[in-house]
């Protein structure tokens, strides 16, 4: 199903499933790039700034 079909769907379940899929994809992309940034020596503060969140929140999410 393409994005136009999702946006014009009469069934809210179609749109909500798409939103869930987008959230999961965003989480995967974020995790991959946080890991890359850490491997390249970025600080938690730099990563937080890039994501628009505090260093504490990004460290709590990915620091383990």
């Amino acid at each position: 199903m393409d994005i136009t079909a999702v946006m014009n769907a009469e069934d809210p379940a179609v749109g909500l499933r798409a939103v869930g899929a987008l959230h999961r994809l965003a989480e995967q992309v974020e995790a991959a790039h946080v890991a890359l940034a850490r491997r390249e020596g970025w600080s938690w503060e730099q990563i937080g700034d890039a994501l628009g969140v505090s260093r504490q929140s990004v460290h709590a999410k990915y620091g383990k």
Side-chain angles (χ1 to χ4, degrees):
M1 184 174 284
D2 67 36
I3 189 69
T4 303
V6 170
M7 294 300 296
N8 294 322
E10 295 291 325
D11 182 357
V14 172
L16 293 171
R17 280 193 301 271
V19 168
L22 287 169
H23 280 288
R24 289 186 295 278
L25 177 59
E27 288 291 326
Q28 291 172 358
V29 171
E30 181 180 282
H33 285 278
V34 167
L36 175 61
R38 291 297 293 164
R39 284 194 304 273
E40 295 201 357
W42 285 39
S43 69
W44 291 113
E45 185 171 5
Q46 288 173 300
I47 296 168
D49 287 346
L51 291 172
V53 299
S54 70
R55 68 176 172 79
Q56 293 91 340
S57 67
V58 75
H59 181 265
K61 188 172 181 179
Y62 295 107
K64 294 167 180 61

